[in-house]
């Protein structure tokens, strides 16, 4: 079944062109089923690109999903038109009385800052605590994953000498995991970050399990089964051109940056990159949504009330 998003969201036409089943709000009202409530806390500066990336993957599910776009209330986005935010986004303060089957927290380009120096850290901590009572399953991505695992378990992040940047091979450490159903033993995922978390720190925390890892880039995906919380430190959701966009942006600003590893054919930035992670991105999001569907209460208000 399709994803339900606002009829006028810019991603609407793009998703239709790509073959993603999209349902108008009017059509959804006529269906007598409860759609899954999936929220996206979008912390990225270019929110339109990020919401399309996530909606593309969420919308590939055979289940009907109602997709809500959420932003930090006290932070002003510099790269997204205010009209877009007012039309399609709610602040967390406006949705905090709701329950969600699934909740996604994105990365943010603030990795090198200590968490406590982030201007919206207090609100971020409130949101993370709120997910324990109002969300059935949470998927935290990149900085969002680092922030969550630090907030809940004190796992630190470490600065890297240079940006981890490229498409790297990863290993499936637990093929029996519901989140890795259908995954190859070895697969590729985009990486783009200035910091890392380390296996040794994660292994100290009871209840955390590493599901994906790279020899070069370290930990990629961690599961916290008891709380239905996932920490994805890399960017399986990226478009084919996302790393190229970041590379050329940095080149234009004069920032020290090397071409992303194993990305441009022949390491030539003039050649268009090939997407080698798309199928695993769809598998991962599809598995996550299916697990939510299998385990979430039918009554939304029951979420968080009895360990749900």
């Amino acid at each position: 079944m399709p994803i339900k998003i606002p009829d006028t969201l810019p991603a609407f036409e793009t998703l239709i062109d790509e073959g993603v089943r999209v349902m108008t709000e009017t059509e959804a009202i006529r269906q007598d089923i409860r759609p899954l409530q999936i929220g996206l806390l979008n912390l990225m500066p270019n929110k339109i690109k990020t919401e399309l990336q996530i909606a593309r993957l969420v919308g590939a599910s055979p289940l009907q999903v109602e997709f809500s776009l959420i932003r930090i209330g006290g932070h002003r986005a510099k790269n997204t038109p205010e009209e877009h935010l007012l039309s399609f986004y709610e602040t967390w303060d406006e949705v905090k009385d709701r329950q969600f089957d699934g909740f996604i927290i994105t990365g943010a380009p603030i990795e090198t800052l200590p968490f406590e120096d982030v201007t919206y850290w207090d609100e971020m901590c409130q949101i993370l605590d709120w997910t324990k009572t109002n969300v059935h399953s949470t998927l935290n991505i990149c900085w969002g994953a680092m922030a969550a695992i630090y907030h809940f378990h004190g796992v630190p992040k470490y600065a890297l000498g240079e940006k981890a940047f490229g498409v790297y091979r990863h290993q499936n450490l637990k093929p029996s995991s519901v989140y890795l159903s259908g995954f190859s033993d070895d697969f590729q995922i985009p990486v783009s970050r200035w910091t890392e978390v380390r296996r040794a720190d994660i292994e100290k925390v009871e209840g955390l399990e590493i599901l994906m890892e790279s020899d070069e880039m370290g930990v990629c995906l961690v599961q916290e089964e008891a709380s239905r919380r996932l920490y994805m430190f890399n960017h399986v959701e990226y478009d084919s051109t996302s790393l190229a966009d970041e590379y050329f942006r940095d080149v234009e600003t004069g920032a020290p940056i090397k071409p992303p590893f194993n990305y441009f054919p022949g390491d030539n930035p003039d050649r268009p990159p090939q997407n080698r992670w798309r199928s695993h991105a769809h598998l991962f999001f599809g598995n996550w949504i299916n697990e939510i569907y299998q385990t979430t209460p039918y009554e939304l208000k029951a979420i968080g009330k009895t360990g749900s």
Side-chain angles (χ1 to χ4, degrees), residues 61-116:
S61 166
L63 304 169
Q64 186 186 143
V65 172
E66 186 168 333
F67 195 49
S68 298
L69 300 174
I70 301 155
R71 61 187 174 93
I72 293 284
H75 180 71
R76 186 177 183 85
K78 298 178 181 179
N79 297 289
T80 302
E82 187 70 15
E83 181 182 356
H84 183 85
L85 296 177
L86 293 173
S87 297
F88 301 114
Y89 279 77
E90 298 172 278
T91 65
W92 170 70
D93 196 56
E94 292 171 329
V95 303
K96 66 183 181 182
D97 293 329
R98 289 174 55 187
Q99 275 79 30
F100 289 87
D101 300 292
F103 200 76
I104 302 165
I105 300 177
T106 73
I110 48 176
E111 292 175 79
T112 57
L113 285 176
F115 291 115
E116 291 80 5

Side-chain angles (χ1 to χ4, degrees), residues 93 178 194 212 257 265-266 288 301 308:
D93 196 56
V178 294
W194 286 96
M212 292 182 190
I257 190 70
W288 178 62
K301 291 190 178 297
S308 301

